[in-house]
Amino acid sequence: MKIIILGAGQVGGTLAEYLASEANDITVVDTDSDRLRNLGDRLDIRTVTGKGSFPTVLRQAGADDADMLVAVTNSDETNMVACQVAYTLFHTPTKIARVRESAYLLRNGLFSNEAIPVDVLISPEQVVTNYIKRLIEYPGALQVIDFSEGKAQLVAVRAYYGGPLVGQELRQIREHMPNVDARIAAIFRRNRAILPKGNTVIEADDEVFFIAAKNHIRSVMSELRRIDDDNKRIVIAGGGHIGERLAEAIESRYQVKIIEANPARCRYLSDTLDSTIVLQGSASDKDLLVEENINEADIFLALTNDDEANIMSSLLAKRLGARKVMTIINNPAYVDLVQGGEIDIAISPELATIGTLLTHVRRGDIVSVHSLRRGAAEAIEAIAHGDAKSSKVVGRRIGEIPLPTGTTIGAVIRDEQVIIAHDDILIESGDHLILFLVDKRYIRDVERLFQVGLAFF
């Protein structure tokens, strides 16, 4: 695919890295020539210096025959105008724009070919808010991903010493939970992936990814670790876009406090939110945290734009007794440094956003793509189409499908029903399959599996 990426920031750069490694023809446009030089030295891509919304710059980047435009500059307006220009002058088939400001997102009918022609809108703040909300709903989970509008979920948990299944073989899941069907998709032990077999033994401290229907998730989690108490008290540091959206989404079910340094922003938040308590001050002010009983907080969330401030306030909150701390970290180099020590979960907004972008770049009938373990692995939802003659998947049992190395099928969603994958299940046309790739180098092979042969047409 020939793809033009506008903006060489965190998301643009990471996306270029992902896609260049998958043999696409990538051009990155940015006004910052130093940033482009850095990217060009590391990756096999073209770079063009200039403003991404200018027709001359887009033409120079190859817009005449591009398959896709991904506008992820820091300016919403530049992203929207670039899509308009690509549509009007170059008839680019797919246009994706990152739009942050909710003032644009809340207007119906604004993003259509008659108005502003954006095919896919991505709002990083909304993606991250949903991501955090799911983590709050499942105490103890490291990552929670929805498939098919939440019918099935993929959950990562760390197995604890003393969990009923820890030290047991996987085939004993059935005996422990006769009424619950779940599939362990992958196990990461000391940062190495293990493909689960029936005789694989779960050890304490393994990171276990499993798939189950939404209503069975808690039962499976309780087999791997003692279930944490439900979260009640939540403290959010940073009342920016994400802090505000998250408080708005959860304040009806939890006791929420927001700590924000800017007095004007504090007044705005207290007017906008219903039951959230807004405190003016610094999240790394020890006296303020002690005064607000941080030792009784179930979750402390550091959601400011400053990585260092987030890390320090999280470490302080943990030291003062917060049960669990989660931190947004924009610099990917920091994510592995801090997660799993004092900080329970490090959230990378760009990785959450990248998953949404990748969904639209993948070929075949790929519905959604999720980046796991900081981008090392991927979970994919794909639709099986065709018939036994034209498809490599339809009309075969799961055990007969020629899956690439390191790939497992976790579940099949048929209409409203979640069927956990076992070797004897027959795939029908229209089924949604949830696949887990431990090594994303094989992504092309997975896409080919789901492409329908010409015989079908």
Side-chain angles (χ1 to χ4, degrees), residues 2-234:
K2 190 167 179 187
I3 301 170
I4 300 174
I5 298 173
L6 307 182
Q10 290 284 7
V11 172
T14 313
L15 185 65
E17 208 167 309
Y18 261 76
L19 298 175
S21 65
E22 295 171 8
N24 292 296
D25 176 0
I26 307 291
T27 306
V28 179
V29 179
D30 199 287
T31 47
D32 185 336
S33 49
D34 292 342
R35 212 181 249 174
L36 289 177
R37 196 174 310 115
N38 281 341
L39 266 184
D41 291 347
R42 280 188 307 140
L43 308 172
D44 177 18
I45 56 172
R46 280 183 63 221
T47 59
V48 172
T49 309
K51 201 164 162 64
S53 52
F54 290 0
T56 46
V57 174
L58 284 173
R59 176 157 279 134
Q60 198 185 337
D64 286 315
D65 56 349
D67 298 304
M68 182 180 288
L69 175 81
V70 182
V72 285
T73 70
N74 284 335
S75 153
D76 286 353
E77 290 75 15
T78 302
N79 294 342
M80 295 190 296
V81 171
C83 287
Q84 180 75 64
V85 172
Y87 173 75
T88 311
L89 297 184
F90 303 110
H91 310 295
T92 308
T94 309
K95 299 159 295 299
I96 298 177
R98 172 168 73 179
V99 177
R100 285 207 156 107
E101 243 357 292
S102 47
Y104 293 126
L105 296 170
L106 297 173
R107 310 297 303 180
N108 284 335
L110 187 57
F111 296 100
S112 66
N113 285 350
E114 291 70 52
I116 301 173
V118 177
D119 301 304
V120 182
L121 269 179
I122 286 177
S123 160
E125 280 83 3
Q126 198 52 52
V127 172
V128 173
T129 303
N130 294 343
Y131 185 89
I132 297 172
K133 200 169 111 204
R134 289 197 295 269
L135 286 172
I136 293 173
E137 282 165 7
Y138 292 113
L142 297 172
Q143 192 165 7
V144 182
I145 289 166
D146 276 351
F147 290 104
S148 264
E149 290 141 20
K151 294 188 191 84
Q153 289 182 319
L154 174 77
V155 178
V157 290
R158 193 170 298 290
Y160 270 137
Y161 188 73
L165 265 181
V166 178
Q168 308 272 354
E169 293 188 348
L170 287 185
R171 60 167 69 101
Q172 289 170 319
I173 288 189
R174 267 289 163 77
E175 296 160 27
H176 279 250
M177 300 183 291
N179 306 326
V180 172
D181 211 357
R183 170 86 181 232
I184 306 261
I187 296 171
F188 285 87
R189 184 170 297 159
R190 293 181 280 284
N191 284 334
R192 282 192 33 245
I194 296 171
L195 271 186
K197 307 242 179 352
N199 58 359
T200 307
V201 175
I202 297 178
E203 294 179 8
D205 229 29
D206 282 355
E207 198 172 315
V208 180
F209 283 86
F210 68 86
I211 293 177
K214 188 171 183 168
N215 49 346
H216 290 160
I217 296 291
R218 279 178 189 271
S219 329
V220 184
M221 282 176 70
S222 64
E223 288 293 314
L224 295 164
R225 48 177 300 139
R226 52 180 192 283
I227 271 289
D228 298 7
D229 296 337
D230 276 351
N231 298 312
K232 291 191 188 72
R233 298 182 191 84
I234 293 169

Side-chain angles (χ1 to χ4, degrees), residues 132-375:
I132 297 172
K133 200 169 111 204
R134 289 197 295 269
L135 286 172
I136 293 173
E137 282 165 7
Y138 292 113
L142 297 172
Q143 192 165 7
V144 182
I145 289 166
D146 276 351
F147 290 104
S148 264
E149 290 141 20
K151 294 188 191 84
Q153 289 182 319
L154 174 77
V155 178
V157 290
R158 193 170 298 290
Y160 270 137
Y161 188 73
L165 265 181
V166 178
Q168 308 272 354
E169 293 188 348
L170 287 185
R171 60 167 69 101
Q172 289 170 319
I173 288 189
R174 267 289 163 77
E175 296 160 27
H176 279 250
M177 300 183 291
N179 306 326
V180 172
D181 211 357
R183 170 86 181 232
I184 306 261
I187 296 171
F188 285 87
R189 184 170 297 159
R190 293 181 280 284
N191 284 334
R192 282 192 33 245
I194 296 171
L195 271 186
K197 307 242 179 352
N199 58 359
T200 307
V201 175
I202 297 178
E203 294 179 8
D205 229 29
D206 282 355
E207 198 172 315
V208 180
F209 283 86
F210 68 86
I211 293 177
K214 188 171 183 168
N215 49 346
H216 290 160
I217 296 291
R218 279 178 189 271
S219 329
V220 184
M221 282 176 70
S222 64
E223 288 293 314
L224 295 164
R225 48 177 300 139
R226 52 180 192 283
I227 271 289
D228 298 7
D229 296 337
D230 276 351
N231 298 312
K232 291 191 188 72
R233 298 182 191 84
I234 293 169
V235 177
I236 297 173
H241 287 311
I242 297 179
E244 179 195 350
R245 284 185 183 192
L246 183 66
E248 205 171 339
I250 64 174
E251 64 180 357
S252 58
R253 286 181 297 157
Y254 303 95
Q255 297 169 21
V256 183
K257 291 179 181 174
I258 289 188
I259 302 173
E260 166 60 47
N262 179 335
R265 183 72 185 166
C266 283
R267 279 193 293 280
Y268 165 78
L269 289 170
S270 64
D271 291 344
T272 315
L273 299 167
D274 292 336
S275 55
T276 300
I277 296 171
V278 182
L279 306 163
Q280 193 206 328
S282 161
S284 48
D285 175 348
K286 184 179 172 185
D287 297 335
L288 174 66
L289 291 178
V290 171
E291 196 178 310
E292 292 302 329
N293 303 330
I294 191 72
N295 57 331
E296 290 175 9
D298 295 313
I299 298 183
F300 175 86
L301 290 151
L303 308 180
T304 72
N305 287 333
D306 182 334
D307 285 354
E308 288 78 6
N310 284 346
I311 292 170
M312 296 319 285
S313 63
S314 297
L315 293 175
L316 181 63
K318 189 75 170 187
R319 180 68 48 86
L320 294 174
R323 195 169 61 138
K324 190 171 192 179
V325 297
M326 299 184 203
T327 304
I328 277 194
I329 295 197
N330 291 295
N331 180 345
Y334 287 176
V335 175
D336 286 337
L337 283 178
V338 300
Q339 173 149 325
E342 295 278 300
I343 292 174
D344 297 290
I345 298 180
I347 297 155
S348 161
E350 68 178 51
L351 277 182
T353 312
I354 291 285
T356 320
L357 285 166
L358 287 177
T359 304
H360 302 282
V361 178
R362 298 280 181 244
R363 291 198 188 84
D365 269 308
I366 308 285
V367 188
S368 66
V369 177
H370 299 275
S371 173
L372 308 167
R373 290 205 40 102
R374 276 79 78 203

